[in-house]
Amino acid sequence: MTAAVPLSGGRHGSIALLLRVSDAIAAVLLAADLVVVCGSVVLRFCFNAPVEWSDDVARGLMVGSAFFGAASALARGENVGVSFFRDLAPVRLRALVDAASALLVVLISAYVAYNAIKLGSLTAGQTTGSGLPLELTFYPMGAGALFMTVFAIDQLCARPLPDIVRGLVAVAVVTGLYLAWDYLSPATVPSAGTLMLIGFFATLVGGLPIGFALALAALIFIWVEGALPGVIFAQQMARGIDNFVLLAIPFFILVGYLMEANGMSVRLIELLQRGVGRMRGGLNVVMVASMVLFSGISGSKMADVAAVGSVLIPAARRSKQNPGGAVALLAASAVMAETIPPCINLIILGFVANLSIGGLFVAGLLPAALMALALIAVSIIFGKTPAETAADAEEVAPQMPVSGLWSGAIASFGLIFMIFFGFKSGFATATEISAFAVAYALVVGSVVFRELSFTSAAHSFVQGATRAGLVLFIVAAAQSLAFTLTLQQVPHAVGDFMLGLSKTSGTWLFILLAIGVLIVMGSVLEGAAALIIFGPLLLPVAVQLGIDPLHFGVVLVIAMGIGLFAPPLGLGLYGACLIGNVPIEQTVKPIMGYLGLLFLCLLVIAFVPWLSTALPRAFGY
């Protein structure tokens, strides 16, 4: 992950104030979205009075919340980027690359802000399907991008002046060389698509945050091609997240933070510790089981890793376990949980590939169970016996009364039941279910447990909006890149190549190639971006080859998860190490063993389709 740049000294007060404003706007827009969605469902089912404008308003609020949340994430230095290659560079070169990257973030943010506001003015007078002004979607997006630009400028100015000058010179030299080449010998200049790929991988290797690297790649194509106006770029970014289905992402992320704030997560983990913590490898078994249960409630894997890791990694240290091994198991458990609903990557894949989200949720259950059982079996076989950790038993033993533990478990299972019952019964959509899950977590924390104060709830909304903004900005940027790939007919070319290869070598080779592509791209990119770009490319080919789309979707998500947590590039592994406060070097050996086990499970899942098709067929998907 790229390192955060602290708020610059002279501007610390004003930027901190601006950050609080950005946090407040993102959180208020998310809360307003919650009220709109829950209110529309109640009115529709209880009073038979559907609200025609609710979907349009909810989508507009989400776009605004996403960009203000992304701005807050940028201000805190939370944007993820590949730092492996950057860290290998000499100090002076690293400083130059960092300054150039900071400058590019400023330019991209400013370009988004300008064109989003311009798009708002161009659409003035136009309306949505329900009659609401269309520009109300783009002006908040532009305002959020404007905040992002200010934060990016502050981070650039926080660097030493010589580094800033060298970064400016480097960007100017690269731009000047291209312009000179295009002027002197235009026939030999590489195509816009080639330059787009070169720019993307160069900035990715240089540590530019993933979302900005994706956006810059799309912008390089637009700038070099010269035929598309800048507002198309802003329009495609908005289109990438302006969908009611994707509103489930911030809501399910918010559920994870509320669980941690309302005491539900601590109660559930302590109950598991009391139930199985004394068996051989008990703490590791508790970790896997906790990730299974938490993933059935929260859609964000990093939120789950944070909630479970913050409790169990310190417990592993107290019981004299290797903290690197504990973090590695935590990361492997996150891979396992990628197909446990309501995972946001399943929602994203269902959205971009036009698959049933409920069907994907059900299809992922048995594969997740297989991987969870494999991790639990390894934990028991290679774990310590209770006698070996007896000296530390009193330190690790949970102290909460049993009644309090069971109340947390009942509340957690009630939330899981509500999510699954909502999907199966058709009572509500994925987004509406996620909104009621948030309402449930708020009621349980404030009324039942009496641990969720207004301040902690507000903080959870800020955290949820920031994390969701981080994810949705990457989704928006990936959509802009996918748009440029479509203009170049890349999906058609990839489909023809894969079909031809499969006709000569068999379907099994296509599946193996798809797994390899998603593992590599999941490692290089953030998971959502890999699925947005490659899901629509590969799924149509799989359908033409007779592969069940739900089965293939589950395989893609698991492969992406393995790449996301694979050393040395996997961004998810860096996140888990930060949460566990463990150097990544201590996790490499154990995580490779766990990922090898999960890869074997993936091969079984890929070549035994029944594991991911039996339940969808039984439930009518």
Side-chain angles (χ1 to χ4, degrees):
M1 298 177 71
T2 51
V5 177
L7 297 175
S8 50
R11 291 168 297 276
H12 184 278
S14 58
I15 292 297
L17 176 61
L18 201 62
L19 176 57
R20 288 196 291 271
V21 172
S22 179
D23 286 343
I25 295 175
V28 168
L29 291 176
L30 183 58
D33 237 340
L34 178 66
V35 172
V36 169
V37 174
C38 289
S40 66
V41 174
V42 170
L43 289 172
R44 185 172 74 240
F45 278 90
C46 297
F47 301 99
N48 195 26
V51 183
E52 295 181 357
W53 48 262
S54 61
D55 283 11
D56 289 338
V57 171
R59 297 201 316 268
L61 289 171
M62 178 182 65
V63 173
S65 177
F67 274 84
F68 277 100
S72 294
L74 178 64
R76 293 188 174 90
E78 295 177 0
N79 295 74
V80 291
V82 178
S83 61
F84 176 77
F85 300 105
R86 166 190 163 278
D87 292 342
L88 297 177
V91 175
R92 289 179 61 85
L93 179 59
R94 192 186 314 160
L96 170 64
V97 170
D98 288 348
S101 296
L103 176 62
L104 289 175
V105 171
V106 172
L107 295 175
I108 295 166
S109 301
Y111 196 80
V112 174
Y114 172 77
N115 284 287
I117 294 172
K118 183 179 179 181
L119 187 59
S121 66
L122 291 175
T123 55
Q126 301 180 30
T127 60
T128 65
S130 62
L132 297 176
L134 187 60
E135 64 266 27
L136 293 183
T137 297
F138 301 114
Y139 282 136
M141 171 184 171
L146 200 57
F147 272 66
M148 196 182 301
T149 305
V150 175
F151 294 141
I153 292 173
D154 178 76
Q155 293 191 348
L156 174 65
C157 294
R159 301 179 182 279
L161 183 59
D163 290 345
I164 297 175
V165 172
R166 283 193 287 267
L168 285 167
V169 170
V171 173
V173 166
V174 171
T175 305
L177 287 174
Y178 163 73
L179 293 175
W181 189 358
D182 185 55
Y183 178 77
L184 296 173
S185 181
T188 62
V189 174
S191 67
T194 301
L195 291 174
M196 178 185 75
L197 291 177
I198 292 173
F200 172 67
F201 284 107
T203 54
L204 199 66
V205 168
L208 188 68
I210 299 295
F212 290 96
L214 292 167
L216 180 62
L219 285 176
I220 289 174
F221 177 83
I222 291 173
W223 290 335
V224 173
E225 190 68 20
L228 295 174
V231 292
I232 293 294
F233 172 71
Q235 183 187 52
Q236 289 302 314
M237 287 197 76
R239 179 176 173 269
I241 57 176
D242 183 18
N243 191 286
F244 189 72
V245 172
L246 295 182
L247 189 52
I249 293 175
F251 286 157
F252 277 128
I253 289 175
L254 179 57
V255 168
Y257 285 112
L258 287 172
M259 278 182 58
E260 189 174 358
N262 67 16
M264 195 185 299
S265 61
V266 174
R267 287 173 169 84
L268 194 55
I269 292 174
E270 287 197 1
L271 181 65
L272 289 171
Q273 282 185 274
R274 184 164 294 186
V276 299
R278 297 289 176 245
M279 63 187 293
R280 183 184 184 93
L283 194 60
N284 288 346
V285 174
V286 169
M287 187 174 293
V288 178
S290 297
M291 286 298 295
V292 170
L293 292 176
F294 275 63
S295 298
I297 299 172
S298 165
S300 170
K301 288 298 151 282
M302 291 316 297
D304 298 336
V305 168
V308 175
S310 62
V311 176
L312 294 183
I313 299 301
R317 285 191 170 94
R318 290 195 299 269
S319 61
K320 309 305 181 186
Q321 289 192 31
N322 174 18
V327 170
L329 180 59
L330 182 65
S333 300
V335 177
M336 169 273 300
E338 284 289 354
T339 61
I340 296 178
C343 175
I344 60 175
N345 285 323
L346 292 175
I347 296 172
I348 290 171
L349 181 63
F351 166 65
V352 299
N354 197 27
L355 294 177
S356 165
I357 293 176
L360 282 171
F361 281 1
V362 175
L365 292 175
L366 289 182
L370 172 65
M371 292 185 286
L373 289 174
L375 291 175
I376 289 174
V378 168
S379 299
I380 294 173
I381 293 171
F382 296 101
K384 293 182 179 181
T385 62
E388 292 175 292
T389 58
D392 304 286
E394 292 303 318
E395 294 183 54
V396 182
Q399 301 297 320
M400 188 175 291
V402 176
S403 59
L405 299 181
W406 276 110
S407 66
I410 292 171
S412 301
F413 283 111
L415 186 52
I416 294 173
F417 173 78
M418 185 180 73
I419 293 171
F420 278 92
F421 175 78
F423 279 109
K424 179 55 187 170
S425 66
F427 170 79
T429 65
T431 297
E432 293 166 345
I433 292 168
S434 65
F436 278 99
V438 173
Y440 179 94
L442 287 169
V443 171
V444 168
S446 59
V447 178
V448 180
F449 296 156
R450 299 182 183 276
E451 293 185 16
L452 187 66
S453 65
F454 177 83
T455 302
S456 59
H459 183 61
S460 296
F461 270 86
V462 170
Q463 287 180 301
T466 302
R467 173 60 60 177
L470 197 60
V471 173
L472 290 173
F473 182 78
I474 293 173
V475 172
Q479 168 59 34
S480 68
L481 180 59
F483 171 73
T484 62
L485 292 174
T486 302
L487 290 179
Q488 300 169 75
Q489 297 187 334
V490 172
H492 181 72
V494 170
D496 287 345
F497 171 75
M498 289 289 199
L499 279 174
L501 193 64
S502 300
K503 286 178 180 178
T504 58
S505 304
T507 302
W508 63 271
L509 180 60
F510 167 74
I511 294 177
L512 289 177
L513 283 174
I515 290 173
V517 167
L518 263 295
I519 289 177
V520 172
M521 290 297 104
S523 181
V524 172
L525 301 174
E526 197 274 346
L531 291 174
I532 290 170
I533 294 172
F534 291 96
L537 295 181
L538 298 175
L539 264 161
V541 180
V543 172
Q544 291 186 56
L545 294 174
I547 302 172
D548 185 279
L550 296 179
H551 163 63
F552 189 68
V554 168
V555 170
L556 291 183
V557 170
I558 297 172
M560 176 278 303
I562 291 176
L564 185 62
F565 286 89
L569 301 179
L571 299 174
L573 182 59
Y574 282 93
C577 289
L578 286 175
I579 290 167
N581 195 25
V582 171
I584 191 171
E585 293 79 10
Q586 293 185 17
T587 67
V588 171
K589 184 176 179 180
I591 191 64
M592 292 306 295
Y594 289 128
L595 292 182
L597 175 64
L598 293 177
F599 181 74
L600 292 177
C601 292
L602 174 58
L603 293 180
V604 172
I605 294 164
F607 294 105
V608 184
W610 177 88
L611 284 169
S612 48
T613 58
L615 287 181
R617 289 172 182 169
F619 284 93
Y621 288 104

